[in-house]
Amino acid sequence: MDADRIALENEIAYSIAFNEINARFYGALKAAIAFANLAAGTSAVAGLMAAVPGLIPAAAVVVAIASIVEQLAHVADRAAHFRLAARSFRHLERRLPGLSTQAAMDELLAMRADVDFGVRALEAAAWNLMCQRKGYTEHKMRLSAWQRCLAALA
């Protein structure tokens, strides 16, 4: 197998890993926002904070911030977008044996142009996931503390 074909397979595998990890991250962020809304909203409304009335405005602020983040980041839409992109890259991976290297590369580049930018701090974690799946453990990258925290959420 030639080097271009191997590089193409690795690029597709990386694209799958990057979109999967971004989909999981946005899914976890969506769940965290929903939990914040539920926990803060119901405790304030249900009167569970009656013992400490000063916490009710704080709960309202948590609900407001969570709602703003959800609206600005379009968290649910982005999670679905990255899941769909990962599925498309997997489909390309399955069709790869029947495509020429140039045709597959053209399709890969076109598909990447249609995918939103993900969380760039997750790039190294996606690279490590691809290396793990391909058996290239010696090529894994070291993650910073910030990258490890974000990868743990995903």
Side-chain angles (χ1 to χ4, degrees), residues 29-49 59-67 70:
L29 185 58
K30 179 181 177 241
I33 288 171
F35 178 76
N37 278 331
L38 182 66
T42 56
S43 61
V45 172
L48 297 176
M49 294 186 177
V61 168
V62 167
V63 170
I65 289 172
S67 298
E70 187 172 20

Side-chain angles (χ1 to χ4, degrees), residues 14-139:
Y14 171 76
S15 297
I16 292 168
F18 183 71
N19 283 287
E20 284 176 349
I21 205 164
N22 272 282
R24 287 196 311 260
F25 172 77
Y26 281 106
L29 185 58
K30 179 181 177 241
I33 288 171
F35 178 76
N37 278 331
L38 182 66
T42 56
S43 61
V45 172
L48 297 176
M49 294 186 177
V52 187
L55 291 180
I56 293 175
V61 168
V62 167
V63 170
I65 289 172
S67 298
I68 289 169
V69 167
E70 187 172 20
Q71 290 301 312
L72 291 178
H74 304 287
V75 176
D77 294 340
R78 289 183 66 82
H81 172 79
F82 286 114
R83 277 193 303 274
L84 181 62
R87 188 177 311 137
S88 297
F89 285 113
R90 273 191 233 100
H91 181 67
L92 175 61
E93 185 179 48
R94 283 192 302 273
R95 293 185 305 112
L96 193 58
L99 296 173
S100 71
T101 302
Q102 187 59 48
M105 181 58 81
D106 292 344
E107 192 167 339
L108 173 66
L109 293 175
M111 290 170 67
R112 279 190 174 167
D114 289 339
V115 176
D116 287 344
F117 292 110
V119 178
R120 290 295 171 208
L122 293 173
E123 286 178 338
W127 174 262
N128 288 348
L129 180 60
M130 186 274 298
C131 287
Q132 178 182 344
R133 288 178 178 170
K134 291 282 205 172
Y136 305 149
T137 55
E138 67 277 4
H139 296 292

